[in-house]
């Protein structure tokens, strides 16, 4: 009896570990994605797996479309101005976490990131990710160069960022979107000192770290 129970527990643990992004997406609590029901999400998976355009109607009398899917990644365009990405990331041989990125683009895009366990319980974000410092987004970080740029646009606005998870690698790219918020003249100046490709981060040892 004890052996039988142990086998069941092992199988349950393996099944939990083996959950794909698609399974986790379908099982996502409605509170995290209120515009789409579990049936909507399952339909998206079915459509994209069969080579069809994965578009469904949502609860907001609009449509949502799954734009990408791999075993550990899903991307959904939730509205004309919004999108969602999720990535399943390993902590060790038996445990994974879910990285969920939401982006809204009313003008300049802004992203937020949260982490969950595979039961969709919220985890402390700071344990897995820290937003890079402003200097990491600059082509040069010497004070004179920054002072010249600040004369044209406030560094405070650099906090506008877009976060993109990679479908096939455990990486994310964070790009400043301040140029989309600034005036045309300010944007010309800003592009002189902002890294055009943003900051790349790699998942390693259970958290995202900047790729130097």
């Amino acid at each position: 009896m004890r052996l039988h129970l142990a086998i069941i527990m092992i199988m349950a643990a393996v099944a939990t570990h083996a959950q794909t992004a698609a399974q986790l997406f379908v099982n996502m609590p409605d509170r995290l994605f209120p515009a789409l029901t579990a049936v909507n999400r399952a339909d998206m998976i079915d459509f994209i797996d069969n080579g069809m355009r994965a578009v469904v109607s949502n609860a907001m009398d609009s449509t949502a479309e799954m734009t990408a899917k791999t075993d550990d990644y899903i991307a959904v365009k939730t509205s004309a101005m919004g999108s969602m990405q999720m990535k399943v990331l390993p902590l060790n041989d038996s445990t994974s976490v879910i990285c969920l990125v939401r982006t809204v683009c009313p003008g300049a895009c802004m992203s937020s990131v949260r982490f969950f366990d595979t039961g969709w319980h919220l985890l402390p974000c700071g344990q897995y990710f820290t937003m890079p410092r402003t200097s990491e987004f600059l082509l040069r970080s010497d004070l004179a160069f920054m002072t010249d740029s600040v004369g044209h646009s406030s560094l405070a606005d650099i906090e506008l960022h877009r976060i993109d998870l990679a479908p096939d690698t455990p990486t994310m790219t964070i790009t400043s979107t301040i140029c989309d918020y600034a005036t045309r003249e300010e944007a010309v100046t800003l592009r002189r000192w902002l890294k055009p490709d943003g900051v790349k981060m790699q998942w390693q040892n259970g958290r995202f770290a900047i790729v130097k």
Side-chain angles (χ1 to χ4, degrees):
M1 180 66 180
R2 289 182 180 177
L3 179 60
H4 181 63
L5 180 59
I7 292 173
I8 292 175
M9 292 176 67
I10 291 171
M11 291 177 65
V14 171
T16 299
H17 172 61
Q19 287 185 95
T20 64
Q23 292 169 318
L24 292 166
F25 177 69
V26 172
N27 293 329
M28 178 187 292
D30 291 342
R31 60 183 167 78
L32 295 177
F33 214 154
L36 293 177
T37 66
V39 172
N40 290 150
R41 298 193 293 272
D43 284 344
M44 283 180 156
I45 298 295
D46 185 56
F47 292 155
I48 204 166
D49 283 348
N50 284 283
M52 302 167 63
R53 190 179 175 198
V55 179
V56 299
S57 299
N58 61 30
M60 308 300 292
D61 293 325
S62 183
T63 60
E65 179 178 5
M66 181 173 291
T67 56
K69 170 183 168 289
T70 68
D71 285 346
D72 61 7
Y73 173 85
I74 278 176
V76 176
K77 186 172 178 59
T78 55
S79 68
M81 295 189 296
S83 63
M84 183 279 295
Q85 302 168 78
M86 60 174 282
K87 184 84 172 177
V88 185
L89 299 161
L91 283 180
N92 51 50
D93 290 340
S94 61
T95 308
S96 297
V97 296
I98 303 164
C99 178
L100 186 69
V101 173
R102 292 184 183 278
T103 301
V104 292
C105 300
C109 292
M110 300 172 285
S111 295
S112 63
V113 58
R114 289 192 288 174
F115 291 85
F116 300 84
D117 64 21
T118 52
W120 286 107
H121 302 107
L122 185 63
L123 299 171
C125 185
Q127 186 172 337
Y128 307 102
F129 168 79
T130 300
M131 180 63 72
R133 294 174 298 177
T134 298
S135 59
E136 297 289 349
F137 293 89
L138 304 178
L139 290 168
R140 292 165 52 188
S141 58
D142 60 281
L143 183 59
F145 186 61
M146 290 174 64
T147 301
D148 174 64
S149 298
V150 173
H152 298 273
S153 185
S154 172
L155 267 178
D157 290 331
I158 200 71
E159 295 304 320
L160 289 170
H161 299 110
R162 179 187 180 96
I163 299 175
D164 290 293
L165 297 168
D168 301 315
T169 59
T171 58
M172 70 162 58
T173 301
I174 309 174
T175 309
S176 172
T177 58
I178 180 58
C179 291
D180 297 325
Y181 173 81
T183 65
R184 181 177 299 178
E185 292 76 13
E186 289 172 331
V188 169
T189 298
L190 287 163
R191 290 191 178 98
R192 286 171 36 213
W193 55 275
L194 284 173
K195 293 178 180 176
D197 298 325
V199 175
K200 189 171 184 177
M201 302 188 79
Q202 175 87 30
W203 182 258
Q204 54 187 37
N205 300 320
R207 65 176 289 115
F208 278 106
I210 295 173
V211 176
K212 296 295 187 179

